Every structure is written in C-alpha cells, then in structure tokens.
Amino acid sequence: MYPFEITSPLTIAAAVEALENEEAQPLAGGQTLIPTLKARLAMPEVLVSLTGIKELQSIAVRDGQLCVGAGVTHANLAKQTAQYPALAALAADIGDPAVRNRGTIGGSLANNDPAACYPAAALASGATIVTNARTIAADDYFVGMFETALDEGEIITEVRFPLPQAAHYAKFAQPASRFALVGVFVARFADGVRVAVTGASEEGVFRWTDAEGALSQAFSAQALDGLTVPAEDMMDDIHGTPDYRAHLVAVLTKRAVVAAG
Amino acid sequence: MPHIEGSSVTEETMTQISMVVNGTAMTGDVADQTLLVDFLRDDLRLTGTHVGCDTSQCGACLVHVNGLAVKSCTMFAREAQDAEVATIEGQAMADGQLNAIQQAFQTHHGLQCGFCTPGMIMATAALLQDNPKPTEDQIRNYLEGNFCRCTGYHNIVRAVFAASGQDVSLIAAE
Ligand SMILES: Cc1cc2nc3c(=O)[nH]c(=O)nc-3n(C[C@H](O)[C@H](O)[C@H](O)COP(=O)(O)OP(=O)(O)OC[C@H]3O[C@@H](n4cnc5c(N)ncnc54)[C@H](O)[C@@H]3O)c2cc1C
Ligand code: FES
Ligand code: FES
C-alpha cells in the first residue's frame, strides 16, 4: 500500500468537509477498498473513515419505508430488519461472517460491483439513495459496472426501501468468491412487480422488464414460461458463459417468485 | 515506503493508538496504513494470528474486535482504537490448559499443519457465542470464510460440534 493518512470525523458534515480534498476517499468497512489499496489500484492521500459517524448507523421505518443508514453493516442489517425479511436474508448471505461484520450497505452501493447483492435489492425495491447533497432514485443511480450517479466527494448517507408485499432474493453463489454468479431480486408491490438482476450483465445490475410485465399480470413461475434474457448482453468469464448466465437469470427468477409466495 | 511522484504524501503519518488486547491495555505508534494484523504481529509480537492470503479470503487472520469476528488483514489498526481485541494468545485458560474449543480441535484432529487453526478457533468462539448449539450445516456455513488446506474440514466440523457440547457421533461430517 502507498502511505496515506486516515481521518475519523464524527459527523456527516465533518466527513463531507474532509472529502473536499480531491485526494481524499471515504473508507467504510474496507472489505473492498483495503484489497484495492493493497493492489495499488487506488492511491488516495487521505482516507475519511465513516465508521465513527453515529448518524450513519440507524435502521428505522419512516413513512412506510425502511430507512437504513449507509454505515449499517451487513451483519446488523441481517439481525435488525424484521420489517423486510428478503433484505435481511440477502444481507445474511453476503460473503462470510467476518466480511458481514465490517462491510456496509453504503460501501456496497457506492462500489456497485457487477456481482454485488445490494444493488439488486435497491433496484428491485425502487429504493431511494440519499446522499449528503440530494436524493437519487435507484433507477437513476446505477450507471454501469462500478459506476454510479455519485459525484466526487458525495457520500451516501441513507438508503430508503419501500416495503413490498412479498419479495425474495435468489442467489447462485460463485463458490470461490461467494459473490453472486447471478442473483435475482423479485419484489411485488400493490402497483406491480419489479425484478432486478445482478452478476449477469456487462452493464451491471439491470431490471428485467419483460418478467416484470408478466409477473404483474400473474405472480407465478408459470407466468415466466418462455421468457428469456438475450445472452449477448451477459458477462463472459471463466465462471460462466453468457448462455449459462442468461439461463440462470430465468431459473433464479422463477425460484425467487416461488419463494416469495 | 516509496516516494509518490506528484503527491504531497512523502512520509507516513504516525498515530499513537491504544487498544485492549486479550485483557491488557496496549499502546503503539503506527503508520496510518498499518493493518491490524501487522500491529498485532510486528508491534505486539503476537504472532499466533496468521496471514494466509492477505486478501480477506482465508480467515487465518481472524480475531475478535469488540466481540465480533473480523479479518485483521482487512482492517486498519487505527480503526481498532479503544477496542477490545481478542486473539488466539488469549484463548487458553489462566493455568495454561487448552480451553474447550482448543481441546476439541486436538481431540478430534481438527488440525494438521495448524496454519489455519488460530483463525478457526477464533471463528468457532464467535460462532458459539451467537449460537451455542449449532447444527452441522450452521457450522459449515459459519466457517465459509475460513480455509483449511490440510484437513478436508470434516474433523474441524466434528471439533466444533464437540466443543459445543454435542455428541459427535450424531453427525456424519463426511
Ligand atoms: C470474501 C468476500 C466476500 C464477499 N462477498 C460478497 C457477496 O456475496 N455479495 C456482495 O454484495 N458483496 C460481497 N463482498 C463485498 C462486501 O459486501 C463489501 O463489504 C462491500 O462491497 C463494500 O463495503 P465496505 O463497507 O466494505 O466498503 P469499503 O470497502 O470501505 O468501500 C468501498 C467503496 O465505496 C466507497 N464508499 C464507502 N462508503 C461510502 C459512502 N457512504 N458513500 C460514498 N462512497 C462510499 C469507498 O470510497 C470505496 O470506493 C465480499 C467481500 C469479501 C472480501
Ligand atoms: S490473511 Fe486475512 S483473510 Fe487471509
Ligand atoms: S491444518 Fe493446515 S491449513 Fe488447516
């Protein structure tokens, strides 16, 4: 690692101020950032640690939405989110216990790894990403692989999830990394169904609108019969071919619908 | 440390940190980018915590920070300021006897070369704190981030099951 300084502000305002320095970068759980620093893929002069900021730690239901502070770890979300069982189950299955004790929802959404789990939950739930400066609808937030609508120096402070009537996340874990080889989050609301797919596309997380249409008509696995996603948009790597990933998308969507009930 | 071209950072920023390690208050001066595992091993000379992968995969470096299992290769020492840290060195009983988990690993041959063992023991301790009577599936699931290249895991699973006071003959572990 190149040398850098760590600063540990106690408020969002102080963190935002520290991040005005162009060479500064936020540090949350470090589960992605520290390996990146070790590989010398990032060279910040200052890391602004968000872990001491109490404002980022709360989980509460407000106006019918589950509001999760950006600094909430996967482990705490898994334990404290009875209001949204599908989201709690997703958090409980990220990586391993030690990763879940440090990694945060804010870090995951800011990183937008194409194989990460939370982006699927945020997009399928129609969540709102709240930052120090504005609110961003999930539909506008995920721009591409590792790319988001966040500006330089902008930090996620909270994520607001509308609570669906039924939901489930079906994940096919890549056995070595434990990330999603493909993961599908299905969420059923009074006004329709949303389906978000992670792990599969070259563009990162995406909504499978054909499946949403069919499931909004009839919420059953049969409603998906014959529907497929085009393989040409899928990722191709040693873990899976585009055809295989496209196949998994359809299978996992059905499983998610059945499990959501 | 290398000099970075075009950067104002030419020296390490040193910070004094304090934490309680295995019940004893410890202080040290560390560069900000020092990992918790390096502080434990190099500064405190607690070399029972191992570095297997250094990329947060293998769990050889697993310790407890404020009661929670963490991979100490993927946390900065500074982030453990004022924390209670527990490592393998603090696990044996006051009279030097192995604790129940360590003893179960010995009895059930849960180790061969022993490299993964400190992390396995600390992970097991964290598991049993949360879930005193885990099933075989729960044990395997909890140890997902702890790799062992020798034992093939079955004896580790048996050891954890035994350490939780359950009858090992009840699990297949095969
Ligand atoms: C072994 C292993 C297995 C894993 N398995 C999975 C898995 O199955 N599914 C999954 O989804 N993930 C998985 N992960 C990733 C894990 O969830 C990370 O914790 C997460 O992606 C990053 O969160 P973090 O809090 O550690 O962020 P950090 O690593 O601290 O930061 C990540 C990035 O986000 C930025 N950032 C952090 N917080 C904010 C914020 N509030 N606002 C703006 N920017 C911010 C940082 O500057 C950095 O660029 C795994 C990781 C490991 C090591
Ligand atoms: S050395 Fe830390 S996880 Fe492998
Ligand atoms: S005993 Fe050798 S790695 Fe586990």
Side-chain angles (χ1 to χ4, degrees), chain A residues 16-47:
Chain A
V16 169
E17 201 184 312
L19 285 164
E20 281 169 10
N21 174 351
E22 266 182 27
E23 304 298 329
Q25 186 175 355
L27 166 70
Q31 301 303 293
T32 296
L33 184 53
I34 295 176
T36 309
L37 292 167
K38 287 180 181 176
R40 296 191 165 183
L41 295 171
M43 208 175 79
E45 283 178 14
V46 181
L47 288 185

Side-chain angles (χ1 to χ4, degrees), chain A residues 1-6 8 27 30-31 34-35 37-38 40 43 45 47 49 51 95-98 101-102 178, chain B residues 1-2 4 7-9 13 32-33 35 54 56 68-71 73-76 78-79 142 144-145 147:
Chain A
M1 271 183 286
Y2 295 113
F4 47 76
E5 185 187 326
I6 300 179
S8 307
L27 166 70
Q31 301 303 293
I34 295 176
L37 292 167
K38 287 180 181 176
R40 296 191 165 183
M43 208 175 79
E45 283 178 14
L47 288 185
S49 168
T51 26
D96 58 61
N101 281 336
R102 297 289 301 165
R178 296 181 296 285
Chain B
M1 279 298 148
I4 300 171
S7 154
S8 65
V9 179
T13 308
D32 278 13
Q33 75 270 18
L35 298 165
D54 201 24
S56 52
L68 298 177
V70 304
K71 290 175 175 173
C73 76
T74 309
M75 175 171 180
F76 295 115
R78 273 205 51 173
E79 298 266 288
Y142 195 91
E144 215 167 18
F147 298 174

Side-chain angles (χ1 to χ4, degrees), chain B residues 19-80:
Chain B
M19 62 187 80
V20 176
V21 181
N22 300 326
T24 308
M26 298 287 193
T27 302
D29 285 315
V30 297
D32 278 13
Q33 75 270 18
T34 305
L35 298 165
L36 178 58
V37 71
D38 293 330
F39 179 66
L40 293 170
R41 289 179 56 87
D42 300 344
D43 292 66
L44 304 184
R45 309 302 298 164
L46 294 172
T47 54
T49 300
H50 291 166
V51 180
C53 64
D54 201 24
T55 54
S56 52
Q57 305 291 322
C58 77
C61 64
L62 194 142
V63 301
H64 299 185
V65 175
N66 292 329
L68 298 177
V70 304
K71 290 175 175 173
S72 59
C73 76
T74 309
M75 175 171 180
F76 295 115
R78 273 205 51 173
E79 298 266 288

Side-chain angles (χ1 to χ4, degrees), chain A residues 1-88:
Chain A
M1 271 183 286
Y2 295 113
F4 47 76
E5 185 187 326
I6 300 179
T7 172
S8 307
L10 297 176
T11 62
I12 293 171
V16 169
E17 201 184 312
L19 285 164
E20 281 169 10
N21 174 351
E22 266 182 27
E23 304 298 329
Q25 186 175 355
L27 166 70
Q31 301 303 293
T32 296
L33 184 53
I34 295 176
T36 309
L37 292 167
K38 287 180 181 176
R40 296 191 165 183
L41 295 171
M43 208 175 79
E45 283 178 14
V46 181
L47 288 185
V48 180
S49 168
L50 307 178
T51 26
I53 304 177
K54 292 228 165 55
E55 295 161 90
L56 298 179
Q57 299 295 336
S58 80
I59 304 179
V61 175
R62 268 185 267 121
D63 305 327
Q65 302 198 89
L66 179 75
C67 303
V68 183
V72 171
T73 60
H74 311 328
N76 282 341
L77 196 140
K79 256 184 254 159
Q80 296 167 23
T81 311
Q83 304 91 339
Y84 196 166
L87 186 67

Side-chain angles (χ1 to χ4, degrees), chain B residues 110-117 147-151 156:
Chain B
L111 63 152
Q112 286 179 28
C113 80
F115 195 84
C116 68
T117 313
F147 298 174
C148 175
R149 299 293 76 168
C150 300
T151 63
I156 291 176

